[in-house]
Amino acid sequence: MVEIDADALLPNDRVKSAVLDGDVTQLSRGAANRYAEVGDTFDLNGTEFEVTAVDVQTLGELTDEDARREGSPSLEAYKARMERVHPGDFEWDETSEIVTYRFGRIE
């Protein structure tokens, strides 16, 4: 178990706030980089979190449940959000590999 920098895993303040609020408990990132391993921890404003799962999968394997964990009401809404926040350099390709990080508050 290693303490990681939350800035490396969580890309912006909106995501960090959603994690603190409990609205985001999972984040998927491109598979080119590995940001955490199971058991790693990170701190957000004095609140400790632990990475509980790290899975390599494709965009096509994501489900509505995954989308809800990432703060979207559905997979379609998640797709639209990804295309909106990554203008010009992102295309939803069902075969693109991603790494999904699931995390939770340490009580």
Side-chain angles (χ1 to χ4, degrees):
M1 176 166 62
V2 174
E3 179 149 351
I4 61 170
D5 182 0
D7 291 338
L9 178 61
L10 308 175
N12 58 52
D13 289 338
R14 187 204 68 76
V15 171
K16 290 174 191 166
S17 292
V19 169
L20 281 169
D21 292 342
D23 297 330
V24 170
T25 59
Q26 172 178 302
L27 193 69
S28 296
R29 306 287 305 264
N33 296 307
R34 193 68 166 246
Y35 297 96
E37 299 295 335
V38 172
D40 287 353
T41 60
F42 60 92
D43 178 270
L44 277 179
N45 297 340
T47 302
E48 287 288 318
F49 292 84
E50 181 177 1
V51 177
T52 58
V54 177
D55 298 303
V56 176
Q57 57 186 355
T58 64
L59 284 173
E61 293 175 289
L62 289 175
T63 65
D64 280 328
E65 186 176 339
D66 289 311
R68 284 189 291 277
R69 286 187 198 117
E70 299 211 20
S72 292
S74 68
L75 186 57
E76 285 306 312
Y78 178 75
K79 287 179 186 180
R81 185 175 59 140
M82 290 300 100
E83 291 169 348
R84 187 176 64 251
V85 300
H86 300 289
D89 66 345
F90 178 83
E91 181 180 330
W92 188 274
D93 178 351
E94 300 275 320
T95 64
S96 291
E97 280 197 341
I98 56 172
V99 180
T100 299
Y101 304 91
R102 199 172 301 169
F103 40 82
R105 224 177 263 266
I106 298 174
E107 301 297 331

